[in-house]
Amino acid sequence: MTVHESSPIAALPVLGETALQTYPTATLYVVATPIGNVTDIGLRALHVLGLVDAVACEDTRNTSHLMGRFGISKPLLAAHMHNEREAAETIVRRLQAGERIALVSDAGTPAVSDPGAKIVDAVRAAGLRVVPLPGASAAVTALSASGLVNDQFHFVGFLPAKPKQRETALAGLRNVTATMVFYEAPHRIAEFAQSLVAVFEPTRQVVFARELTKLFEEIHRCPLSEAVAWLAADAHREKGEFVVLVEGAAAQSDAQEAEAERVLKILLAELPLKQAASLAAQITGAKKNALYDRALALKGEG
């Protein structure tokens, strides 16, 4: 099948189910939009955008262009970071009058490192209904393709632009064991990588995911020690919006075990095996028998 051929799914009757579902009035619909590839928009999202009385959006030009691609035209309400509280008041009044309003950001899911949270909060505080329409999220998209094996992730988003403030923020994350998720702009990505190297261990894995779902999508994983050189090797690698994933810190038990072995190795170089294991247990709090067994193994390896 070529890229231009139609998929059998296009003719499935299930596509008509969007129109048969319930879409209550006096409701704010939080609608996820594509992060790059326009065809990633959800079927229910398209139906709701065509149904609502108005669309509150981060940038009216971007949203007008997106909706125009699908033949949808609706009144647009500017709702960006500089007028979010005022926009919330307008939206609440219109919802109270029985309208349906959709909330979108320029890309991805609103209110996640994008405007929208204050609007949703105000709508809920007014006792009105909020219905989320799930869809694209840059953070989850990057995580799904990273191969970083961790059941938890810690979403950070954008850090301060100034290097000193950025490194202070990163230092506060050194002991986070979950995979950390950052967003970064292309003109700061090289400095951001340098800050990561300055704060975290060089052996940690890092993933650079740029231009996700777009033509020049690139997802690169490497040890942090190689990150700066990889970015510098090709000027194109500093273009596009970035999601950066950083491997979390070793679990405390793993860190304690590593420290106990480090101390044990130092003592073994100067003391008999039994005495080295005993002192290592006193210094680190690790179990003496486990350290004795590890000392025997180290002696055997030697």
Side-chain angles (χ1 to χ4, degrees):
M1 187 174 80
T2 70
V3 293
H4 299 293
E5 290 177 335
S6 177
S7 164
I9 198 171
L12 291 178
V14 71
L15 299 183
E17 288 190 13
T18 55
L20 302 177
Q21 297 175 17
T22 301
Y23 301 94
T25 58
T27 298
L28 178 71
Y29 293 87
V30 182
V31 181
T33 54
I35 59 175
N37 191 318
V38 70
T39 60
D40 284 341
I41 195 163
L43 296 174
R44 194 157 62 109
L46 286 175
H47 183 74
V48 165
L49 290 174
L51 180 71
V52 295
D53 297 286
V55 178
C57 53
E58 187 177 358
D59 188 317
T60 56
R61 295 165 299 181
N62 288 344
T63 300
S64 177
H65 177 70
L66 173 67
M67 294 173 65
R69 296 286 301 273
F70 297 100
I72 301 172
S73 178
K74 290 289 176 176
L76 302 180
L77 309 173
H80 46 75
M81 63 182 294
H82 301 296
N83 77 337
E84 203 169 353
R85 291 193 183 280
E86 295 83 354
E89 294 174 4
T90 299
I91 290 167
V92 167
R93 285 197 301 269
R94 294 185 65 160
L95 293 175
Q96 289 171 333
E99 293 189 8
R100 300 182 183 95
I101 305 288
L103 173 67
V104 303
S105 64
D106 282 349
T109 303
V112 181
S113 259
D114 271 329
K118 292 177 182 176
I119 292 171
V120 173
D121 181 54
V123 169
R124 288 198 171 280
L128 295 160
R129 188 169 181 177
V130 177
V131 173
L133 275 68
S137 165
V140 174
T141 300
L143 281 163
S144 71
S146 71
L148 293 174
V149 183
N150 195 327
D151 292 335
Q152 299 179 328
F153 69 90
H154 180 85
F155 180 76
V156 183
F158 288 96
L159 288 177
K162 294 183 178 179
K164 188 169 290 187
Q165 294 176 353
R166 182 169 58 235
E167 289 184 16
T168 298
L170 288 171
L173 299 168
R174 277 183 59 90
N175 295 323
V176 172
T177 55
T179 299
M180 288 165 278
V181 183
F182 302 92
Y183 287 166
E184 191 53 274
H187 65 279
R188 288 198 300 263
I189 190 64
E191 287 187 0
F192 179 69
Q194 290 167 359
S195 293
L196 292 177
V197 171
V199 173
F200 295 111
E201 303 89 342
T203 54
R204 289 209 199 192
Q205 292 289 301
V206 61
V207 176
F208 294 99
R210 69 179 192 89
E211 296 287 83
L212 287 171
T213 77
K214 300 177 185 177
L215 181 61
F216 298 108
E217 174 182 274
E218 187 170 19
I219 302 172
H220 178 75
R221 175 174 161 178
C222 64
L224 195 50
S225 59
E226 300 173 10
V228 173
W230 179 78
L231 284 168
D234 185 342
H236 291 289
R237 291 173 181 167
E238 295 184 28
K239 296 179 180 180
E241 298 299 315
F242 280 82
V243 181
V244 180
L245 311 178
V246 177
E247 183 182 19
Q252 191 61 30
S253 57
D254 293 340
Q256 288 174 337
E257 184 177 324
E259 176 62 10
E261 180 158 331
R262 186 187 72 84
V263 171
L264 180 61
K265 286 179 177 178
I266 293 171
L267 294 174
L268 279 173
E270 305 293 336
L271 299 171
L273 187 148
K274 189 173 182 178
Q275 189 179 0
S278 178
L279 282 174
Q282 293 177 47
I283 294 169
T284 65
K287 292 183 178 179
K288 180 180 175 180
N289 289 343
L291 285 172
Y292 183 79
D293 291 342
R294 182 57 185 149
L296 285 173
L298 289 170
K299 282 290 188 181
E301 291 170 6

mmCIF file of all heavy atoms in Angstrom, residues 35-77:
data_model
loop_
_atom_site.group_PDB
_atom_site.id
_atom_site.type_symbol
_atom_site.label_atom_id
_atom_site.label_comp_id
_atom_site.label_asym_id
_atom_site.label_seq_id
_atom_site.Cartn_x
_atom_site.Cartn_y
_atom_site.Cartn_z
ATOM 1 N N ILE A 35 0.080 17.836 17.681
ATOM 2 C CA ILE A 35 1.334 18.510 18.026
ATOM 3 C C ILE A 35 2.206 18.731 16.802
ATOM 4 O O ILE A 35 3.266 19.349 16.892
ATOM 5 C CB ILE A 35 2.122 17.721 19.096
ATOM 6 C CG1 ILE A 35 2.452 16.303 18.597
ATOM 7 C CG2 ILE A 35 1.349 17.667 20.400
ATOM 8 C CD1 ILE A 35 3.338 15.509 19.555
ATOM 9 N N GLY A 36 1.763 18.241 15.659
ATOM 10 C CA GLY A 36 2.541 18.418 14.439
ATOM 11 C C GLY A 36 1.798 17.905 13.231
ATOM 12 O O GLY A 36 1.435 18.653 12.332
ATOM 13 N N ASN A 37 1.513 16.609 13.242
ATOM 14 C CA ASN A 37 0.827 15.986 12.120
ATOM 15 C C ASN A 37 -0.669 16.242 12.241
ATOM 16 O O ASN A 37 -1.334 15.764 13.153
ATOM 17 C CB ASN A 37 1.109 14.481 12.111
ATOM 18 C CG ASN A 37 0.645 13.819 10.838
ATOM 19 O OD1 ASN A 37 -0.424 14.109 10.325
ATOM 20 N ND2 ASN A 37 1.465 12.915 10.316
ATOM 21 N N VAL A 38 -1.220 17.003 11.300
ATOM 22 C CA VAL A 38 -2.610 17.449 11.393
ATOM 23 C C VAL A 38 -3.587 16.284 11.416
ATOM 24 O O VAL A 38 -4.682 16.388 11.987
ATOM 25 C CB VAL A 38 -2.934 18.420 10.234
ATOM 26 C CG1 VAL A 38 -2.982 17.687 8.905
ATOM 27 C CG2 VAL A 38 -4.231 19.171 10.482
ATOM 28 N N THR A 39 -3.213 15.148 10.846
ATOM 29 C CA THR A 39 -4.130 14.012 10.801
ATOM 30 C C THR A 39 -4.213 13.257 12.119
ATOM 31 O O THR A 39 -4.967 12.278 12.234
ATOM 32 C CB THR A 39 -3.738 13.036 9.675
ATOM 33 O OG1 THR A 39 -2.414 12.551 9.904
ATOM 34 C CG2 THR A 39 -3.797 13.715 8.320
ATOM 35 N N ASP A 40 -3.465 13.685 13.120
ATOM 36 C CA ASP A 40 -3.551 13.059 14.442
ATOM 37 C C ASP A 40 -4.743 13.556 15.246
ATOM 38 O O ASP A 40 -4.950 13.104 16.381
ATOM 39 C CB ASP A 40 -2.267 13.316 15.243
ATOM 40 C CG ASP A 40 -1.114 12.459 14.774
ATOM 41 O OD1 ASP A 40 -1.370 11.434 14.108
ATOM 42 O OD2 ASP A 40 0.046 12.812 15.055
ATOM 43 N N ILE A 41 -5.528 14.487 14.729
ATOM 44 C CA ILE A 41 -6.667 14.995 15.482
ATOM 45 C C ILE A 41 -7.710 13.896 15.646
ATOM 46 O O ILE A 41 -7.893 13.039 14.775
ATOM 47 C CB ILE A 41 -7.283 16.236 14.803
ATOM 48 C CG1 ILE A 41 -8.209 16.974 15.779
ATOM 49 C CG2 ILE A 41 -8.015 15.851 13.513
ATOM 50 C CD1 ILE A 41 -8.544 18.382 15.377
ATOM 51 N N GLY A 42 -8.399 13.899 16.787
ATOM 52 C CA GLY A 42 -9.391 12.872 17.058
ATOM 53 C C GLY A 42 -10.703 13.116 16.321
ATOM 54 O O GLY A 42 -11.082 14.259 16.045
ATOM 55 N N LEU A 43 -11.433 12.050 16.030
ATOM 56 C CA LEU A 43 -12.718 12.171 15.346
ATOM 57 C C LEU A 43 -13.726 12.917 16.212
ATOM 58 O O LEU A 43 -14.493 13.759 15.725
ATOM 59 C CB LEU A 43 -13.254 10.780 14.998
ATOM 60 C CG LEU A 43 -12.412 9.960 14.015
ATOM 61 C CD1 LEU A 43 -12.984 8.557 13.872
ATOM 62 C CD2 LEU A 43 -12.365 10.658 12.664
ATOM 63 N N ARG A 44 -13.736 12.625 17.500
ATOM 64 C CA ARG A 44 -14.673 13.309 18.398
ATOM 65 C C ARG A 44 -14.294 14.778 18.540
ATOM 66 O O ARG A 44 -15.159 15.642 18.657
ATOM 67 C CB ARG A 44 -14.680 12.608 19.763
ATOM 68 C CG ARG A 44 -15.851 13.025 20.659
ATOM 69 C CD ARG A 44 -16.142 11.967 21.703
ATOM 70 N NE ARG A 44 -15.020 11.763 22.586
ATOM 71 C CZ ARG A 44 -15.010 12.141 23.873
ATOM 72 N NH1 ARG A 44 -16.059 12.751 24.403
ATOM 73 N NH2 ARG A 44 -13.969 11.895 24.624
ATOM 74 N N ALA A 45 -12.971 15.069 18.495
ATOM 75 C CA ALA A 45 -12.530 16.459 18.566
ATOM 76 C C ALA A 45 -13.076 17.250 17.381
ATOM 77 O O ALA A 45 -13.572 18.381 17.536
ATOM 78 C CB ALA A 45 -11.013 16.532 18.592
ATOM 79 N N LEU A 46 -13.013 16.670 16.191
ATOM 80 C CA LEU A 46 -13.537 17.339 15.004
ATOM 81 C C LEU A 46 -15.034 17.582 15.129
ATOM 82 O O LEU A 46 -15.543 18.658 14.777
ATOM 83 C CB LEU A 46 -13.246 16.511 13.756
ATOM 84 C CG LEU A 46 -11.794 16.507 13.255
ATOM 85 C CD1 LEU A 46 -11.653 15.539 12.086
ATOM 86 C CD2 LEU A 46 -11.354 17.905 12.854
ATOM 87 N N HIS A 47 -15.736 16.582 15.631
ATOM 88 C CA HIS A 47 -17.184 16.736 15.775
ATOM 89 C C HIS A 47 -17.508 17.861 16.760
ATOM 90 O O HIS A 47 -18.392 18.695 16.490
ATOM 91 C CB HIS A 47 -17.811 15.426 16.245
ATOM 92 C CG HIS A 47 -19.305 15.491 16.342
ATOM 93 N ND1 HIS A 47 -20.118 15.486 15.234
ATOM 94 C CD2 HIS A 47 -20.125 15.599 17.425
ATOM 95 C CE1 HIS A 47 -21.387 15.571 15.626
ATOM 96 N NE2 HIS A 47 -21.412 15.637 16.951
ATOM 97 N N VAL A 48 -16.816 17.892 17.881
ATOM 98 C CA VAL A 48 -17.093 18.910 18.888
ATOM 99 C C VAL A 48 -16.726 20.305 18.383
ATOM 100 O O VAL A 48 -17.466 21.275 18.604
ATOM 101 C CB VAL A 48 -16.337 18.587 20.205
ATOM 102 C CG1 VAL A 48 -16.305 19.789 21.140
ATOM 103 C CG2 VAL A 48 -17.005 17.406 20.894
ATOM 104 N N LEU A 49 -15.605 20.433 17.695
ATOM 105 C CA LEU A 49 -15.223 21.738 17.148
ATOM 106 C C LEU A 49 -16.268 22.263 16.170
ATOM 107 O O LEU A 49 -16.476 23.470 16.050
ATOM 108 C CB LEU A 49 -13.853 21.650 16.479
ATOM 109 C CG LEU A 49 -12.660 21.464 17.405
ATOM 110 C CD1 LEU A 49 -11.375 21.248 16.606
ATOM 111 C CD2 LEU A 49 -12.498 22.655 18.353
ATOM 112 N N GLY A 50 -16.933 21.347 15.468
ATOM 113 C CA GLY A 50 -17.982 21.755 14.555
ATOM 114 C C GLY A 50 -19.311 22.013 15.243
ATOM 115 O O GLY A 50 -20.208 22.628 14.660
ATOM 116 N N LEU A 51 -19.445 21.575 16.487
ATOM 117 C CA LEU A 51 -20.707 21.659 17.216
ATOM 118 C C LEU A 51 -20.789 22.856 18.158
ATOM 119 O O LEU A 51 -21.863 23.432 18.360
ATOM 120 C CB LEU A 51 -20.886 20.360 18.022
ATOM 121 C CG LEU A 51 -22.147 20.211 18.866
ATOM 122 C CD1 LEU A 51 -23.362 20.026 17.959
ATOM 123 C CD2 LEU A 51 -22.006 19.012 19.801
ATOM 124 N N VAL A 52 -19.648 23.251 18.743
ATOM 125 C CA VAL A 52 -19.657 24.262 19.799
ATOM 126 C C VAL A 52 -20.058 25.640 19.267
ATOM 127 O O VAL A 52 -20.034 25.900 18.064
ATOM 128 C CB VAL A 52 -18.281 24.363 20.491
ATOM 129 C CG1 VAL A 52 -17.969 23.077 21.227
ATOM 130 C CG2 VAL A 52 -17.189 24.699 19.478
ATOM 131 N N ASP A 53 -20.396 26.526 20.207
ATOM 132 C CA ASP A 53 -20.774 27.896 19.846
ATOM 133 C C ASP A 53 -19.550 28.780 19.625
ATOM 134 O O ASP A 53 -19.627 29.767 18.883
ATOM 135 C CB ASP A 53 -21.652 28.484 20.955
ATOM 136 C CG ASP A 53 -22.954 27.706 21.107
ATOM 137 O OD1 ASP A 53 -23.823 27.855 20.234
ATOM 138 O OD2 ASP A 53 -23.088 26.953 22.091
ATOM 139 N N ALA A 54 -18.437 28.439 20.277
ATOM 140 C CA ALA A 54 -17.209 29.212 20.109
ATOM 141 C C ALA A 54 -16.029 28.365 20.562
ATOM 142 O O ALA A 54 -16.196 27.390 21.305
ATOM 143 C CB ALA A 54 -17.268 30.514 20.908
ATOM 144 N N VAL A 55 -14.847 28.770 20.115
ATOM 145 C CA VAL A 55 -13.615 28.061 20.481
ATOM 146 C C VAL A 55 -12.667 29.050 21.149
ATOM 147 O O VAL A 55 -12.294 30.063 20.553
ATOM 148 C CB VAL A 55 -12.931 27.446 19.240
ATOM 149 C CG1 VAL A 55 -11.619 26.759 19.640
ATOM 150 C CG2 VAL A 55 -13.862 26.460 18.549
ATOM 151 N N ALA A 56 -12.299 28.763 22.393
ATOM 152 C CA ALA A 56 -11.303 29.562 23.111
ATOM 153 C C ALA A 56 -9.937 28.992 22.784
ATOM 154 O O ALA A 56 -9.706 27.787 22.938
ATOM 155 C CB ALA A 56 -11.561 29.511 24.613
ATOM 156 N N CYS A 57 -9.024 29.854 22.322
ATOM 157 C CA CYS A 57 -7.753 29.327 21.815
ATOM 158 C C CYS A 57 -6.583 30.236 22.177
ATOM 159 O O CYS A 57 -6.751 31.429 22.418
ATOM 160 C CB CYS A 57 -7.821 29.149 20.305
ATOM 161 S SG CYS A 57 -8.342 30.607 19.396
ATOM 162 N N GLU A 58 -5.401 29.624 22.192
ATOM 163 C CA GLU A 58 -4.166 30.334 22.545
ATOM 164 C C GLU A 58 -3.799 31.374 21.497
ATOM 165 O O GLU A 58 -3.395 32.490 21.826
ATOM 166 C CB GLU A 58 -3.051 29.299 22.703
ATOM 167 C CG GLU A 58 -1.755 29.847 23.234
ATOM 168 C CD GLU A 58 -0.728 28.756 23.441
ATOM 169 O OE1 GLU A 58 -1.026 27.568 23.208
ATOM 170 O OE2 GLU A 58 0.406 29.101 23.847
ATOM 171 N N ASP A 59 -3.903 31.006 20.229
ATOM 172 C CA ASP A 59 -3.587 31.919 19.128
ATOM 173 C C ASP A 59 -4.669 31.743 18.066
ATOM 174 O O ASP A 59 -4.784 30.675 17.460
ATOM 175 C CB ASP A 59 -2.211 31.601 18.555
ATOM 176 C CG ASP A 59 -1.743 32.630 17.533
ATOM 177 O OD1 ASP A 59 -2.561 33.033 16.685
ATOM 178 O OD2 ASP A 59 -0.558 33.016 17.568
ATOM 179 N N THR A 60 -5.458 32.785 17.854
ATOM 180 C CA THR A 60 -6.588 32.677 16.925
ATOM 181 C C THR A 60 -6.140 32.342 15.505
ATOM 182 O O THR A 60 -6.842 31.647 14.778
ATOM 183 C CB THR A 60 -7.410 33.978 16.926
ATOM 184 O OG1 THR A 60 -6.544 35.082 16.603
ATOM 185 C CG2 THR A 60 -8.043 34.217 18.290
ATOM 186 N N ARG A 61 -4.953 32.807 15.104
ATOM 187 C CA ARG A 61 -4.474 32.524 13.750
ATOM 188 C C ARG A 61 -4.183 31.039 13.571
ATOM 189 O O ARG A 61 -4.563 30.431 12.567
ATOM 190 C CB ARG A 61 -3.229 33.352 13.449
ATOM 191 C CG ARG A 61 -3.468 34.858 13.403
ATOM 192 C CD ARG A 61 -2.172 35.609 13.464
ATOM 193 N NE ARG A 61 -1.460 35.325 14.718
ATOM 194 C CZ ARG A 61 -0.285 35.874 15.057
ATOM 195 N NH1 ARG A 61 0.315 36.706 14.223
ATOM 196 N NH2 ARG A 61 0.290 35.570 16.208
ATOM 197 N N ASN A 62 -3.498 30.456 14.543
ATOM 198 C CA ASN A 62 -3.169 29.029 14.453
ATOM 199 C C ASN A 62 -4.429 28.169 14.451
ATOM 200 O O ASN A 62 -4.558 27.220 13.668
ATOM 201 C CB ASN A 62 -2.275 28.619 15.622
ATOM 202 C CG ASN A 62 -0.878 29.168 15.502
ATOM 203 O OD1 ASN A 62 -0.462 29.613 14.434
ATOM 204 N ND2 ASN A 62 -0.135 29.158 16.598
ATOM 205 N N THR A 63 -5.351 28.495 15.346
ATOM 206 C CA THR A 63 -6.567 27.690 15.455
ATOM 207 C C THR A 63 -7.450 27.858 14.226
ATOM 208 O O THR A 63 -8.050 26.892 13.744
ATOM 209 C CB THR A 63 -7.337 28.064 16.732
ATOM 210 O OG1 THR A 63 -6.490 27.810 17.867
ATOM 211 C CG2 THR A 63 -8.607 27.241 16.869
ATOM 212 N N SER A 64 -7.514 29.072 13.702
ATOM 213 C CA SER A 64 -8.294 29.308 12.490
ATOM 214 C C SER A 64 -7.744 28.474 11.332
ATOM 215 O O SER A 64 -8.506 27.868 10.555
ATOM 216 C CB SER A 64 -8.264 30.791 12.123
ATOM 217 O OG SER A 64 -8.956 31.033 10.921
ATOM 218 N N HIS A 65 -6.419 28.400 11.242
ATOM 219 C CA HIS A 65 -5.785 27.610 10.174
ATOM 220 C C HIS A 65 -6.094 26.129 10.350
ATOM 221 O O HIS A 65 -6.438 25.432 9.375
ATOM 222 C CB HIS A 65 -4.284 27.839 10.181
ATOM 223 C CG HIS A 65 -3.536 27.016 9.175
ATOM 224 N ND1 HIS A 65 -3.617 27.236 7.820
ATOM 225 C CD2 HIS A 65 -2.715 25.935 9.346
ATOM 226 C CE1 HIS A 65 -2.872 26.341 7.183
ATOM 227 N NE2 HIS A 65 -2.322 25.542 8.083
ATOM 228 N N LEU A 66 -5.979 25.620 11.586
ATOM 229 C CA LEU A 66 -6.252 24.207 11.845
ATOM 230 C C LEU A 66 -7.689 23.861 11.495
ATOM 231 O O LEU A 66 -7.952 22.874 10.791
ATOM 232 C CB LEU A 66 -5.984 23.889 13.323
ATOM 233 C CG LEU A 66 -6.397 22.482 13.770
ATOM 234 C CD1 LEU A 66 -5.531 21.428 13.106
ATOM 235 C CD2 LEU A 66 -6.326 22.357 15.295
ATOM 236 N N MET A 67 -8.627 24.658 11.975
ATOM 237 C CA MET A 67 -10.031 24.366 11.720
ATOM 238 C C MET A 67 -10.361 24.489 10.238
ATOM 239 O O MET A 67 -11.170 23.725 9.701
ATOM 240 C CB MET A 67 -10.904 25.284 12.569
ATOM 241 C CG MET A 67 -10.767 25.000 14.063
ATOM 242 S SD MET A 67 -11.623 26.186 15.122
ATOM 243 C CE MET A 67 -13.324 25.890 14.661
ATOM 244 N N GLY A 68 -9.718 25.446 9.575
ATOM 245 C CA GLY A 68 -9.931 25.615 8.149
ATOM 246 C C GLY A 68 -9.514 24.394 7.346
ATOM 247 O O GLY A 68 -10.101 24.093 6.295
ATOM 248 N N ARG A 69 -8.490 23.669 7.831
ATOM 249 C CA ARG A 69 -8.045 22.445 7.140
ATOM 250 C C ARG A 69 -9.164 21.406 7.095
ATOM 251 O O ARG A 69 -9.185 20.538 6.217
ATOM 252 C CB ARG A 69 -6.827 21.841 7.852
ATOM 253 C CG ARG A 69 -5.573 22.695 7.850
ATOM 254 C CD ARG A 69 -4.886 22.715 6.500
ATOM 255 N NE ARG A 69 -4.484 21.385 6.033
ATOM 256 C CZ ARG A 69 -3.334 20.796 6.340
ATOM 257 N NH1 ARG A 69 -2.459 21.411 7.134
ATOM 258 N NH2 ARG A 69 -3.030 19.599 5.855
ATOM 259 N N PHE A 70 -10.083 21.489 8.069
ATOM 260 C CA PHE A 70 -11.179 20.528 8.144
ATOM 261 C C PHE A 70 -12.524 21.155 7.773
ATOM 262 O O PHE A 70 -13.586 20.571 8.028
ATOM 263 C CB PHE A 70 -11.249 19.918 9.545
ATOM 264 C CG PHE A 70 -10.020 19.123 9.906
ATOM 265 C CD1 PHE A 70 -9.034 19.681 10.708
ATOM 266 C CD2 PHE A 70 -9.841 17.836 9.429
ATOM 267 C CE1 PHE A 70 -7.893 18.958 11.029
ATOM 268 C CE2 PHE A 70 -8.699 17.115 9.748
ATOM 269 C CZ PHE A 70 -7.721 17.671 10.541
ATOM 270 N N GLY A 71 -12.484 22.352 7.215
ATOM 271 C CA GLY A 71 -13.708 23.001 6.779
ATOM 272 C C GLY A 71 -14.597 23.474 7.905
ATOM 273 O O GLY A 71 -15.817 23.593 7.740
ATOM 274 N N ILE A 72 -14.016 23.784 9.057
ATOM 275 C CA ILE A 72 -14.793 24.233 10.221
ATOM 276 C C ILE A 72 -14.558 25.725 10.436
ATOM 277 O O ILE A 72 -13.411 26.187 10.424
ATOM 278 C CB ILE A 72 -14.383 23.455 11.488
ATOM 279 C CG1 ILE A 72 -14.607 21.958 11.287
ATOM 280 C CG2 ILE A 72 -15.160 23.956 12.708
ATOM 281 C CD1 ILE A 72 -14.040 21.096 12.413
ATOM 282 N N SER A 73 -15.630 26.465 10.663
ATOM 283 C CA SER A 73 -15.527 27.897 10.957
ATOM 284 C C SER A 73 -16.398 28.215 12.163
ATOM 285 O O SER A 73 -17.619 27.976 12.139
ATOM 286 C CB SER A 73 -15.973 28.726 9.750
ATOM 287 O OG SER A 73 -15.917 30.104 10.052
ATOM 288 N N LYS A 74 -15.769 28.730 13.210
ATOM 289 C CA LYS A 74 -16.475 29.073 14.447
ATOM 290 C C LYS A 74 -15.918 30.379 15.000
ATOM 291 O O LYS A 74 -14.744 30.715 14.758
ATOM 292 C CB LYS A 74 -16.290 27.964 15.497
ATOM 293 C CG LYS A 74 -17.008 26.671 15.175
ATOM 294 C CD LYS A 74 -18.515 26.818 15.325
ATOM 295 C CE LYS A 74 -19.242 25.553 14.918
ATOM 296 N NZ LYS A 74 -20.687 25.652 15.149
ATOM 297 N N PRO A 75 -16.709 31.126 15.788
ATOM 298 C CA PRO A 75 -16.163 32.306 16.468
ATOM 299 C C PRO A 75 -15.018 31.886 17.393
ATOM 300 O O PRO A 75 -15.119 30.859 18.084
ATOM 301 C CB PRO A 75 -17.351 32.838 17.269
ATOM 302 C CG PRO A 75 -18.554 32.294 16.577
ATOM 303 C CD PRO A 75 -18.153 30.951 16.044
ATOM 304 N N LEU A 76 -13.936 32.662 17.396
ATOM 305 C CA LEU A 76 -12.763 32.337 18.208
ATOM 306 C C LEU A 76 -12.606 33.356 19.322
ATOM 307 O O LEU A 76 -12.772 34.560 19.116
ATOM 308 C CB LEU A 76 -11.509 32.309 17.332
ATOM 309 C CG LEU A 76 -11.524 31.328 16.160
ATOM 310 C CD1 LEU A 76 -10.222 31.416 15.373
ATOM 311 C CD2 LEU A 76 -11.744 29.886 16.637
ATOM 312 N N LEU A 77 -12.264 32.866 20.512
ATOM 313 C CA LEU A 77 -12.017 33.712 21.676
ATOM 314 C C LEU A 77 -10.553 33.580 22.062
ATOM 315 O O LEU A 77 -10.076 32.472 22.299
ATOM 316 C CB LEU A 77 -12.888 33.276 22.866
ATOM 317 C CG LEU A 77 -14.394 33.120 22.626
ATOM 318 C CD1 LEU A 77 -15.057 32.530 23.866
ATOM 319 C CD2 LEU A 77 -15.004 34.473 22.290
#
